[in-house]
Amino acid sequence: MLDPALLRGQLATVADRLATRGYTLDVAAIESLESERKAVQSATQELQNLRNTRSKAIGIAKGKGEDASALMAEVAAIAGQLSDNEQRLAEVQQRLGAIALQLPNLPDLEVPHGADEAGNVEQHRWGEPRVFDFPVKDHVELGARKGWLDAETAAKLSGARFTLLRGELARLHRALAQFMLDLHGGEHGYVETNVPLLVNAEAMQGTGQLPKFEDDLFATAVGDSRRYLIPTAEVPLTNTVRDGILDAAELPLRMTAHSMCFRAEAGSGGRDMRGMIRQHQFEKVELVSIVKPAESAAEHERMTRCAEVVLEKLGLPYRRMLLCTGDMGFAAARTYDLEVWLPSQQTYREISSCSNCTDFQARRMLARWRNPDGGKTELVHTLNGSGVAVGRALIAVVENYQNADGSIEVPEVLHPYMGGLARIA
């Protein structure tokens, strides 16, 4: 959520910066509501002062033995007016709050302007795409040989955009997740965390999924209790600091989790329907950092580098992209995407997205830290990133390490997780 002071004092600037994201801010509606809010508050203060004055006059009159009934009637009328004003003010603030919840984060001033992914800027590349001397198969063809990748049975069980993995391919998928957790927990300093897959609406609102993206979420209802299946472990991990105050010594707080993720993918019909590229259910190893505001820019670089190390240890060519204003996620102020090389598509595809959300989520969650310099509480900064998407890592490994006979070499770093197996034959 944006700072209310910005909406009150720098509305035109906010509108201009949001416009670079393709978001049109209804300035007139906000100005009208703000004008009404100020008028009601001013009238309320006048009535409160008048009530105080008349209440004192009642005490004086009674002390003199005079009739105070007229004054008492006036105070009663003022109380009724104050009640009406409080209701009006609550309604106006609720409408302003509803607008604020729909507003995306302001892009960092250094983020390039652009309408969509065409405006993203490449930062660097690592690794050279392999040159094959045989026709390249995609992950669906490679996985179908022994029924390792079975979309047909998954569709019978659950419908479209689900996949069933078997045998050595399922083991490779598990190995990738274990490798990532060990790397981030053992070498990168993230605390491994096992998170709930079902969360309440407050958690979804805290990280920005609600109310704007409810159509993209799966939800459950048991009696009067409604919970949401998480679209990413970012939601429970980040919300662990909701409504709390952290000591300076606890920061930076770094957490990682391997979890199932669930997305309805509303509005993405026809895109990447083949195979495991875009699924309703998938797995990710997530990275979340809670930091002091002055440290979030450096933490963003660090987090992105941790995700890059995963791809480098797997020997997968990738490139880092700085997303433009029109391609960033709702809560992000600045985002790097890592895109891995897929031989079957002859292009780079997203496998990790690392974002600095500054104080946007913290304000929604009321997540704070106590600054020892003065002892005041301030909002923390939150960051999240994929470290990395397990399914897409599986796709990249299968395609980049394929052989002419359809067998797949296992990256050396995964051998310990595969019981020493060096090839899926």
Side-chain angles (χ1 to χ4, degrees), residues 38-331:
K38 290 176 182 177
V40 173
Q41 283 187 333
S42 177
T44 298
Q45 289 173 351
E46 291 178 4
L47 286 170
Q48 288 171 336
N49 291 335
L50 183 60
R51 180 185 60 183
N52 292 339
T53 300
R54 294 295 185 265
S55 295
K56 290 178 181 178
I58 290 172
I60 294 172
K62 287 183 176 181
K64 294 179 178 180
E66 298 173 354
D67 182 10
S69 57
L71 287 171
M72 293 173 67
E74 185 178 359
V75 169
I78 292 172
Q81 289 179 287
L82 281 172
S83 178
D84 291 342
N85 279 12
E86 288 172 359
Q87 183 175 345
R88 280 181 61 198
L89 184 60
E91 290 172 355
V92 170
Q93 290 175 328
Q94 183 178 22
R95 290 163 66 186
L96 282 168
I99 292 174
L101 285 174
Q102 296 284 345
L103 302 183
N105 200 357
L106 296 180
D108 186 273
L109 294 175
E110 296 182 359
V111 171
H113 290 187
D116 51 36
E117 62 183 16
N120 297 342
V121 178
E122 183 175 323
Q123 304 292 289
H124 61 249
R125 297 189 183 196
W126 183 92
E128 288 294 330
R130 177 182 168 190
V131 177
F132 293 85
D133 57 4
F134 57 86
V136 171
K137 297 180 177 68
D138 69 6
H139 71 284
V140 179
E141 294 175 283
L142 292 163
R145 296 188 64 202
K146 291 189 175 182
W148 287 337
L149 192 157
D150 187 349
E152 187 175 329
T153 300
K156 181 171 65 176
L157 299 173
S158 306
R161 293 194 178 182
F162 290 89
T163 299
L164 187 150
L165 296 177
R166 292 189 182 93
E168 292 168 341
L169 200 62
R171 186 177 186 182
L172 182 61
H173 186 268
R174 173 166 56 91
L176 283 162
Q178 290 177 312
F179 155 66
M180 294 176 204
L181 280 177
D182 285 349
L183 177 65
H184 295 314
E187 296 185 25
H188 295 160
Y190 290 86
V191 176
E192 184 173 344
T193 311
N194 190 290
V195 297
L197 302 182
L198 286 166
V199 298
N200 55 33
E202 290 78 10
M204 285 294 193
Q205 180 174 297
T207 45
Q209 280 75 24
L210 287 178
K212 188 172 179 61
F213 300 106
E214 185 153 14
D215 289 344
D216 287 317
L217 303 173
F218 288 105
T220 66
V222 179
D224 295 330
S225 177
R226 182 175 175 85
R227 293 185 177 88
Y228 295 86
L229 288 161
I230 62 170
T232 163
E234 167 203 345
V235 178
L237 287 175
T238 308
N239 273 277
T240 58
V241 298
R242 190 176 83 217
D243 296 323
I245 301 174
L246 297 166
D247 290 331
E250 297 179 79
L251 301 176
L253 176 60
R254 300 183 177 114
M255 298 168 280
T256 185
H258 166 227
S259 77
M260 292 286 188
C261 305
F262 305 88
R263 296 184 186 177
E265 297 287 1
S268 62
R271 296 170 55 197
D272 298 320
M273 291 294 288
R274 180 174 168 82
M276 295 176 62
I277 293 287
R278 193 176 295 274
Q279 300 273 279
H280 288 313
Q281 173 186 308
F282 58 97
E283 296 178 38
K284 246 198 326 170
V285 172
E286 188 72 4
L287 306 174
V288 163
S289 294
I290 313 296
V291 302
K292 301 171 186 175
E295 298 173 358
S296 66
E299 185 70 14
H300 190 206
E301 298 293 332
R302 182 190 188 278
M303 175 180 284
T304 307
R305 181 61 196 145
C306 289
E308 288 178 337
V309 170
V310 172
L311 301 179
E312 291 174 13
K313 286 183 176 290
L314 290 171
L316 297 173
Y318 70 87
R319 65 179 183 179
R320 182 199 284 203
M321 305 293 290
L322 173 61
L323 298 196
C324 69
T325 51
D327 200 33
M328 290 194 303
F330 179 78

Side-chain angles (χ1 to χ4, degrees), residues 341-376:
W341 178 257
L342 295 187
S344 67
Q345 299 184 15
Q346 288 292 291
T347 191
Y348 291 92
R349 296 299 304 268
E350 178 197 340
I351 194 169
S352 172
S353 189
C354 298
S355 297
N356 184 355
C357 299
T358 59
D359 61 6
F360 184 83
Q361 293 177 326
R363 184 171 287 105
R364 297 168 79 104
M365 297 186 301
L366 200 60
R368 297 149 292 168
W369 71 291
R370 191 174 302 282
N371 191 333
D373 185 11
K376 293 183 178 180

